[in-house]
Amino acid sequence: MTAPAVTAPAVAAPQWRISTSRSEAARVALAAGADALHLDFGGAHRGPPLSDPVELRAAEAITKDIPVPVLAVNHLNDIGLAHPSGAPNPAALTLLEQALECARRLGAQVLHVPGFRRSLPATDALRAGTAEVLRIMCAQVSAAGTTLAYESPLGPRDSLAVARAVGRPALRLVLDTGNLMDAGEAPLDFADAVGAAGLLLPDLHVKDSERAADEGVASGLALDGLPELLRRSRARSVLVENDYRDAPDRLRTDITLCRTTAGPSHHEDER
């Protein structure tokens, strides 16, 4: 019987929490010791979009220095995945299609779709519209050999309901400790329920909980339960996602704290 392999989870940095300049974010992430960099597609106040050929070539150059496994489309939070009526937002679909092509060019394995602010699935109609957008994109993502990752503040039951309404194997759900705790949800419960359904993305997001901080409770990267969360979620990587725009030194601190707290993770060799 082969012994379990012991590996330390990779720790990634989020470009959108560092700088709208992708090259500057890459420089900061490398200096802080990150194993990978998650890039943002851009748009509006989020910096120039990757659909610009010059920006895409510059992003491709970044991948020679640091891996880019994930492309996030955070501009969706500004425009909305669906209309209040529940109809998919055509502008959101166009944006996702552009982003998918950019992800393919960058070699990113995951296209990250957020569901916050204008994309918050706050009603049954918006959840239905969100599921329809995700369903449409899953067909294209599957053809590209990519995973579609959806993140929202919904708890495990509602998140799974959305995923089951999509009903496509290319979809995975994102566990973000801070967002779940802010919504009054337990990250471990999310990991157990979504993991048991086989729908948990093995890339864990970890950041401070604003709600816990307001209540004077330790949270985020200092979670005593992080090793258990990594074990039960079977996460292979962690994204540290606090705001580093005005505190670049904290990125190194968070990466180090995450590695120290998490320690090695055990994954069974299935051969």
Side-chain angles (χ1 to χ4, degrees), residues 165-242:
V166 175
R168 298 293 186 272
L171 181 69
R172 291 294 181 271
L173 299 173
V174 178
L175 190 163
D176 184 299
T177 60
N179 289 333
L180 286 173
M181 293 175 72
D182 286 344
E185 302 288 344
L188 281 173
D189 291 346
F190 190 97
D192 288 344
V194 178
L199 291 170
L200 187 65
L201 187 78
D203 301 317
L204 187 70
H205 291 200
V206 180
K207 63 171 174 279
D208 294 341
S209 163
E210 295 179 5
R211 174 177 175 176
D214 290 341
E215 296 173 356
V217 179
S219 65
L221 297 181
L223 277 173
D224 291 335
L226 183 56
E228 179 68 5
L229 183 59
L230 286 168
R231 185 186 69 80
R232 283 160 64 170
S233 67
R234 298 187 63 81
R236 301 302 178 96
S237 69
V238 177
L239 177 73
V240 292
E241 207 185 1
N242 283 310

Side-chain angles (χ1 to χ4, degrees), residues 88-110:
N89 184 353
L93 284 167
T94 297
L95 188 64
L96 282 166
E97 289 167 353
Q98 293 174 338
L100 178 59
E101 174 59 20
C102 292
R104 186 191 65 80
R105 290 276 299 271
L106 295 172
Q109 299 86 35
V110 175

Side-chain angles (χ1 to χ4, degrees), residues 8-15 18 22 24-39 62-69 237-241 244 248-259:
V11 182
Q15 174 242 314
I18 301 171
R22 298 181 184 92
E24 173 64 12
R27 184 192 67 77
V28 171
L30 283 166
D35 297 311
L37 179 68
H38 293 195
L39 287 184
I62 288 172
T63 65
K64 296 179 173 62
D65 297 320
I66 187 169
V68 177
S237 69
V238 177
L239 177 73
V240 292
E241 207 185 1
Y244 308 109
D249 291 343
R250 189 183 177 186
L251 179 59
R252 177 179 290 278
T253 299
D254 280 357
I255 289 172
T256 300
L257 178 59
C258 186
R259 287 190 176 126

